[in-house]
Amino acid sequence: MILPIVAYGDPVLRKVGKKIDKNYPNLTELIANMKETMYNASGVGLAAPQIGKDIRLFIIDASPFAADEDLSDEDRKVLEGFNRVFINAQILEEDGEEWVFNEGCLSIPDVREDVWRKPTITIEYQDENFETKTEVLSGLAARVFQHEYDHIEGVLFTDKLSSLKKRLIKKKLENISKGKIRSDYRMRFPKLKR
């Protein structure tokens, strides 16, 4: 089932997600619905807060990035198979010199900005079978993970912008929260006047 994506301004996007265990109600169905919602919106990641749930769960399918010919063959191969469920994820370590990439977010349609992030991260998480895994991610895989991880920490990519950039997009963000935008997918707007 395709769920509405929560728009910028909704308090759930600012909550730190709660840990869940395998007894979380209808988890398999929730993950399936999140995948359907993400693909419907042409996203590469979707976090539970974006569908109104303040839990530590997100999904990623970075395979669309594998078509980018500017990337190395090795990076493209990693991204091609980077399709996972992350439960109770933690970033254990961030490494390297920050690099910039233009990011967007399904909760903030029509806003794309350059965001600086560390290139290599060590993570720990549980998969959908609640098996604990530790991994090192780098490049775009690390970036997509960091973006989704921020969601379960109550952080949006716009928080990482300079104060000047924030002022420049302030009106756009207000319009998104009021539903004064066109979106190709279902959304829920916190300040929409009925």
Side-chain angles (χ1 to χ4, degrees):
M1 179 173 58
I2 294 169
L3 306 167
I5 292 174
V6 173
Y8 179 90
D10 192 302
V12 74
L13 294 175
R14 294 303 185 182
K15 289 185 177 174
V16 174
K18 297 191 256 318
K19 282 189 164 188
I20 59 171
D21 61 26
K22 59 178 166 278
N23 299 319
Y24 189 82
N26 306 318
L27 184 59
T28 305
E29 184 185 346
L30 175 63
I31 291 168
N33 290 343
M34 284 177 68
K35 285 183 179 181
E36 196 177 342
T37 301
M38 177 182 74
Y39 292 131
N40 177 66
S42 302
V44 293
L46 186 68
Q50 293 180 277
I51 53 151
K53 301 203 174 293
D54 62 340
I55 56 174
R56 298 187 77 79
L57 164 67
F58 58 88
I59 58 171
I60 291 174
D61 180 356
S63 60
F65 285 131
D68 186 342
E69 291 174 8
D70 293 338
L71 298 173
S72 70
D73 288 345
E74 189 182 329
D75 281 347
R76 292 211 310 257
K77 193 174 168 110
V78 167
L79 294 167
E80 210 168 85
F82 195 57
N83 186 343
R84 311 227 187 100
V85 173
F86 295 92
I87 298 170
N88 302 325
Q90 292 294 322
I91 295 179
L92 304 177
E93 200 179 321
E94 295 181 299
D95 240 356
E97 202 172 307
E98 287 192 342
W99 64 293
V100 72
F101 188 81
N102 196 260
E103 293 187 22
C105 179
L106 296 177
S107 293
I108 313 174
D110 297 333
V111 174
R112 297 195 64 84
E113 294 292 339
D114 287 347
V115 178
W116 293 84
R117 295 187 188 273
K118 297 276 189 184
T120 305
I121 55 173
T122 305
I123 61 168
E124 187 177 271
Y125 67 96
Q126 291 165 313
D127 65 14
E128 58 270 41
N129 302 313
F130 283 86
E131 285 179 31
T132 300
K133 299 181 183 287
T134 305
E135 261 180 79
V136 175
L137 299 176
S138 60
L140 270 178
R143 178 168 292 271
V144 177
F145 179 95
Q146 287 166 305
H147 179 106
E148 298 308 325
Y149 178 81
D150 279 351
H151 276 298
I152 64 169
E153 291 291 319
V155 175
L156 298 170
F157 83 94
T158 50
D159 300 341
K160 298 185 177 297
L161 304 177
S162 69
S163 49
L164 173 64
K165 278 279 190 208
K166 286 178 186 169
R167 280 200 305 275
L168 291 172
I169 62 169
K170 188 173 187 233
K171 187 75 180 143
K172 216 172 195 181
L173 295 176
E174 283 172 12
N175 284 339
I176 290 168
S177 68
K178 292 174 185 170
K180 293 182 177 178
I181 52 148
R182 273 187 137 51
S183 173
D184 297 340
Y185 45 88
R186 279 179 64 204
M187 292 193 77
R188 191 176 89 202
F189 302 100
K191 296 178 182 168
L192 181 65
K193 300 263 192 289
R194 299 258 178 243

